[in-house]
Each structure stands twice: as structure tokens, then as C-alpha cells.
Amino acid sequence: KEVCSVTLRGFKLLYRMQPKAILTSVILAIWSALTPYVGISFSAQIIDELAGGRNPERLWSLVLLSLGSAAIISLIGALLSRWNDAESEKIGSSYHHLFVAKNLDMDFVRIDDPETHKMLHTIEQNAAGGGWGLFKIRRNLNSIISPIFSILGGIVLTVTLFTSRVP
């Protein structure tokens, strides 16, 4: 329960610092999870045409559409990845700004306290060195969202498989 509340607090803080970074992570995770199903769908249509009508024009159009969609999907995926990387870099500067602002808000007596120095050092070390803290929360966002949409895509594909009319 404590981990969930701290993680939720971290998401809220990240969203306040850089809302676009969270948005890009979500969009990229959804895109990455759902893009394989486009290829599967075109492959199924090509196999269906090979097993059924064997119309050469339709086969060529399906193959060209499949290749074109794969190229467009790769291009959009690369653009989303670059956008995500750019927004990720902004998180680092926002985090540093937040850290400095919190230090400036503290009383001098608290800043000079050795226990405070130790806590600040631990925070900086966890955020930068170990990859934990806010940065880890954002990376975990991708590992949470992507499987959810992969499962949803698989369910949709399975449902359409069983509800399709068989010739």
C-alpha cells in the first residue's frame, strides 16, 4: 500500500513537472503495444486471399499496403521515440529546478544540519546514480501500460477471429 501511494505521488509530481513527458510515454507505450497487430491483420488478409480468390491484383495491393503500413508505422514510431526522448531530457532539468527550489525554501538551520545533508545526498544519489526515484517511476509507466494494451489488442484480435464469418 505504501509503495502504491508513493508511486502515485511520484506520478503526480512528474505530471506537474512535465505533463508532456507522461503523455509521450503513454502514447509511445500504446503505439508500441498495438503496432504488431497491424502486420498480423495484413498477413491474415494475404493468407486469406491466397487460400481463397487468389486475385493477383488484390494480393499485390495487400502486399504493398502491408509494406507501406510497416514503413509508416516505423516512421511514426521513430518520431514518437524522439519526442519521448526530448521530453525525457526536460524531466532532468525540471527535477534539478525542483530540487534547488526545495533547498532554497528550507531554513538555514535545517540545511546546515548533517542529517539533512545526508538525506539530500541520498536523494541525489538515488535519482542520478541508481536510476531510482522519479526517473524509475517514469520508466515503469511504460512497462505497465504496454502489456495492458498488448493484452487488449490480443483480446480484440481473438474476438474478431471468432466472430468473423467463415466462408
Side-chain angles (χ1 to χ4, degrees):
K1 184 178 177 180
E2 181 183 347
V3 171
C4 289
S5 69
V6 169
T7 303
L8 185 61
R9 183 175 172 212
F11 279 130
K12 288 177 183 177
L13 181 61
L14 275 174
Y15 186 76
R16 270 188 284 148
M17 285 175 19
Q18 285 295 330
K20 284 185 181 177
I22 300 298
L23 177 68
T24 59
S25 290
V26 169
I27 291 172
L28 184 61
I30 292 170
W31 185 263
S32 299
L34 296 181
T35 53
Y37 297 112
V38 175
I40 292 170
S41 175
F42 276 117
S43 297
Q45 290 178 18
I46 291 171
I47 291 170
D48 186 44
E49 188 60 35
L50 285 172
R54 294 187 183 178
N55 183 353
E57 290 91 25
R58 175 136 169 86
L59 277 171
W60 271 109
S61 65
L62 286 172
V63 168
L64 291 177
L65 278 172
S66 177
L67 292 174
S69 67
I72 290 170
I73 285 170
S74 294
L75 178 66
I76 292 172
L79 290 173
L80 286 173
S81 182
R82 293 284 293 162
W83 184 33
N84 188 37
D85 291 345
E87 292 300 324
S88 295
E89 291 300 319
K90 291 178 185 177
I91 288 177
S93 64
S94 294
Y95 171 77
H96 182 70
H97 177 73
L98 177 71
F99 190 76
V100 169
K102 288 290 183 185
N103 280 330
L104 291 175
D105 284 345
M106 289 188 345
D107 292 332
F108 181 74
V109 175
R110 299 249 352 207
I111 291 175
D112 202 35
D113 184 24
E115 190 63 32
T116 304
H117 280 286
K118 184 178 177 183
M119 286 179 12
L120 292 175
H121 179 70
T122 302
I123 291 169
E124 289 248 340
Q125 187 178 18
N126 287 341
W132 293 93
L134 291 176
F135 306 108
K136 181 74 169 186
I137 289 173
R138 187 170 170 278
R139 280 193 300 272
N140 285 344
L141 178 66
N142 291 345
S143 63
I144 292 169
I145 291 174
S146 191
I148 290 171
F149 279 93
S150 291
I151 291 169
L152 288 175
I155 290 170
V156 168
L157 193 63
T158 304
V159 167
T160 58
L161 174 71
F162 289 110
T163 59
S164 304
R165 203 182 72 156
V166 178

